Amino acid sequence: MTTQGETLNGDYHHHHKHNHGGIFGEQTELIFSIISGLMLGIGFLLSFINTIDTWISVLLYVSAYFFGGYFTTKEAYNTMKKGGFEIDFLMLLAAIGAAILGQWAEGALLLFLFSLGHALEHFALNKAENSIAALARLTPKTAIVRKGNRQVEVPIDQLKVGETIIVKPNSIIAADGLVVKGKSSVNQAPITGESIPVDKQPANDDSLAFDQLAPSHQVFAGTINGAQVLEVKVLKKARDTTLARLIELVNVAKEQKSPTQHFTDKFEKYYVPAILVIVILLLFAFLVIDEPFSESFYRAITVLVAASPCALAIATPSAVLSGVARAAKAGILIKGGGPLETLGQVKTIAVDKTGTLTKGEPRLTDVIPYQDITRKEILTTVLAVEQLSDHPLAKAVVQGALSELKDQPKEQAHALQAFNGRGVQAIYQNCKVFIGNRSLFEEELSLSLPAELAERLIELEATGTTAMVIRKGEQYLGIIGLIDQPRPESHAVIRQLQEIGIKRIAMLTGDNQQVANRIAAEIGINDVYGSLLPEDKVTIINQLKEQEDKVAMIGDGVNDAPAMTNSSVSIAMGAAGSDVALETADIALMADHLKALPFAMQLSRKSKAIIKQNLWLSLAVTALLIPASIFNFAGIGIVVLIHEGSTIAVVFNALRLLAYQVDEKLPV
């Protein structure tokens, strides 16, 4: 994690390549700058008193030079050692030039204002940096490990995978892991941005990997335990936790350049040499114009100060850093300026269905007995058989059957055999039981279904239900139906996205078209693409891009990776639990719901607007100051005042993003 005194971003602004600390600690530069201003002010006032020798004022100006120029000289020296010279060097040159001309007061003013702007800019940018640094402070330094009957406190970097840690009430959880004992609610806001605590309870199976765990069993380092003691099995080392990855990715993100930044870099590449040519020409103006060399020199130095692209260099990075920091606070990881700018320009969104718009957890909705079979007989049979399977559909059947029957079947089933994508068979009450879809019976077993069952099957499938036929021995028992439920927030989020100007929302799914249509109708989406393979999703994304220019793709980052890679900006949901999602997506919504998406889009638009304002301000000030200084309308004092003022204005404008709340006029 970058500390306050270290570089914020070495390549984007020369002002941040050195340590700003000193004898007065972190704020030394600011204090030096204030002393410089005091010396300058006293010297200036004394110069009006005739009885006081002028050398006293000059002495005060020299000390103003020392305090105002200390960090600037240090910076210029460090840069020159590396074989370059930048704005600090130019400012120093301008101040020395003013002293040679005997204009000590103006030289001191230049160094005072430059160092003040420098110090305030550093102070302001640190606020954005600290928002990100706050993430690093979430992890406790130690954890309590259970060793037999003893409890031992160990540093978190010595925690081993497989150890059990004890999390006391209201303390911060030290590692990513699964709950093995205790029930408590955990505040996950620091990682996922969710405001409501999530209830946690022990997992039945402690052999699962971290990203296979249900949210109720999974805990993240940096989250805050509620009122009860939890025991957690450590599943990731300290450096591999979601929080550690998040900090690392945020640090990488703030280094990434945005399209606007690439534009300003290109602009500066041609702009700086052009200005240097103008300055050299102005140095020799006394050969053409009837004026002393001192005047030409002064004008050239003033133009040098006026044309330094300070505000331009900091305009975009400061806004990107603030935007990324604000998003991280809301549980949204934006990987740099590119995605931050692009997301706000998107008018078309493609959304994966399963696990994104729906929970990806089917629920048992239909139990249809055949002839004189009872409902209880069907449920008892499917419960006995499906308990042996770990398939997601089997889990949903077991959960549904248990909630109705309330108790286990008296007899156990055994000898489970799975038919991939078709169903299962097992032995129950000395009979072979088959549970599966139409193709299990018609293709695998070469049986034709009774007309009544076949009709009911068609009806159910038409409504988007996953239907399974049950046969025990020679007898058909009936049909059960499961439906994947839309997430409760999906409808509201889709409406919000439409209200903030998203013109087209397309749903992509591998499920059949009927299932897709039913879910889409429930949550308010008109564009529906069903029965898609991963490569079909890529084709649809490319078609949408041709029609709509920029397209965002939202998925869970696993089976959607190819489509997400082809989109203009990819968004993964529920990324806190998935390494794949964190890696593949441009933007990761840490919580496992879509609620943060409208906020992310509006933050992106706000960031883009602030970047534009900053660019216009910095370009306008430069365009105004260069001619003004060439034609002697403004001296060094005025130029420095306006120039450094614009740099500080740009930074503080960018910092408004840190406090950004959703626009009240927009219903989010």
Side-chain angles (χ1 to χ4, degrees), residues 234-522:
V234 177
L235 293 184
K236 290 188 184 180
K237 289 182 179 170
R239 66 169 181 274
D240 300 327
T241 62
T242 304
L243 178 64
R245 297 281 307 289
L246 187 56
I247 294 163
E248 179 197 330
L249 288 166
V250 168
N251 273 317
V252 170
K254 66 176 203 281
E255 308 284 336
Q256 305 291 335
K257 294 195 173 186
S258 72
T260 312
Q261 228 168 315
H262 284 300
F263 158 75
T264 54
D265 287 352
K266 220 180 226 175
F267 176 78
E268 281 179 37
K269 206 166 93 180
Y270 298 105
Y271 170 80
V272 173
I275 291 301
L276 287 174
V277 169
I278 292 170
V279 168
I280 291 162
L281 289 173
L282 288 171
L283 272 175
F284 296 101
F286 70 97
L287 299 174
V288 183
I289 308 167
D290 184 21
E291 67 180 13
F293 170 70
S294 61
E295 219 166 290
S296 295
F297 181 76
Y298 179 78
R299 188 195 292 114
I301 295 293
T302 308
V303 170
L304 205 55
V305 175
S308 294
C310 258
L312 187 66
I314 199 75
T316 313
S318 56
V320 167
L321 184 61
S322 298
V324 167
R326 175 66 187 94
K329 199 173 159 191
I332 305 160
L333 170 62
I334 301 181
K335 294 190 188 171
L340 182 68
E341 284 192 29
T342 309
L343 183 63
Q345 299 166 332
V346 162
K347 290 280 183 284
T348 300
I349 295 177
V351 194
D352 170 53
K353 177 186 81 73
T354 311
T356 306
L357 291 169
T358 66
K359 290 180 177 178
E361 296 167 6
R363 199 162 53 85
L364 183 62
T365 48
D366 298 275
V367 179
I368 302 163
Y370 177 57
Q371 292 176 344
D372 54 355
I373 302 295
T374 65
R375 187 181 172 96
K376 187 176 178 182
E377 196 175 339
I378 291 181
L379 289 171
T380 309
T381 307
V382 294
L383 178 55
V385 172
E386 297 288 18
Q387 269 179 334
L388 303 174
S389 170
D390 57 0
H391 191 280
L393 287 177
K395 286 180 181 166
V397 171
V398 169
Q399 208 177 349
L402 266 177
S403 66
E404 190 170 325
L405 293 173
K406 301 287 186 272
D407 51 16
Q408 293 284 353
K410 291 183 178 67
E411 232 178 289
Q412 298 291 309
H414 61 278
L416 181 87
Q417 186 187 335
F419 300 93
N420 201 8
R422 292 180 172 180
V424 294
Q425 78 167 47
I427 308 290
Y428 176 60
Q429 293 177 338
N430 298 322
C431 293
K432 259 191 185 181
V433 175
F434 292 94
I435 304 173
N437 56 21
R438 181 192 300 274
S439 64
L440 172 70
F441 294 92
E442 292 181 349
E443 293 168 30
E444 193 76 39
L445 305 174
S446 304
L447 295 169
S448 55
L449 294 171
E452 190 187 322
L453 280 182
E455 267 175 49
R456 293 306 301 269
L457 209 53
I458 291 165
E459 283 170 27
L460 284 172
E461 284 169 350
T463 64
T465 304
T466 301
M468 292 185 277
V469 175
I470 301 103
R471 177 183 164 107
K472 183 181 173 189
E474 298 300 310
Q475 189 180 23
Y476 286 98
L477 303 186
I479 300 173
I480 55 170
L482 297 106
I483 292 178
D484 188 9
Q485 301 297 302
R487 289 173 177 271
E489 75 276 5
S490 291
H491 186 266
V493 170
I494 295 299
R495 200 180 69 249
Q496 285 167 10
L497 289 170
Q498 288 161 341
E499 284 169 349
I500 63 171
I502 300 301
K503 293 199 178 100
R504 190 171 176 188
I505 300 169
M507 184 171 95
L508 315 184
T509 180
D511 266 352
N512 71 49
Q513 195 68 42
Q514 285 96 329
V515 174
N517 290 342
R518 184 184 64 78
I519 297 283
E522 273 185 59

Side-chain angles (χ1 to χ4, degrees), residues 94-206:
I96 293 164
I100 292 168
L101 297 171
Q103 289 166 325
W104 289 95
E106 291 196 338
L109 177 69
L110 189 152
L111 287 178
F112 158 61
L113 284 173
F114 186 67
S115 68
L116 181 67
H118 202 173
L120 287 176
E121 180 190 310
H122 178 252
F123 171 77
L125 277 174
N126 260 340
K127 283 186 78 66
E129 181 74 354
N130 286 343
S131 291
I132 293 169
L135 282 172
R137 293 194 287 273
L138 290 173
T139 322
K141 301 282 176 282
T142 59
I144 299 165
V145 177
R146 179 181 288 296
K147 304 229 169 167
N149 296 327
R150 292 183 308 127
Q151 296 182 9
V152 184
E153 195 167 344
V154 299
I156 62 152
D157 53 5
Q158 287 175 23
L159 277 182
K160 295 184 182 73
V161 171
E163 286 186 323
T164 300
I165 59 170
I166 294 163
V167 185
K168 303 234 165 117
N170 307 314
S171 65
I172 297 173
I173 296 169
D176 283 11
L178 86 148
V179 178
V180 288
K181 195 173 174 188
K183 290 183 179 180
S184 188
S185 52
V186 172
N187 175 0
Q188 298 193 156
I191 300 288
T192 64
E194 293 168 284
S195 53
I196 299 162
V198 179
D199 290 335
K200 304 291 177 183
Q201 61 192 45
N204 300 327
D205 181 358
D206 68 353

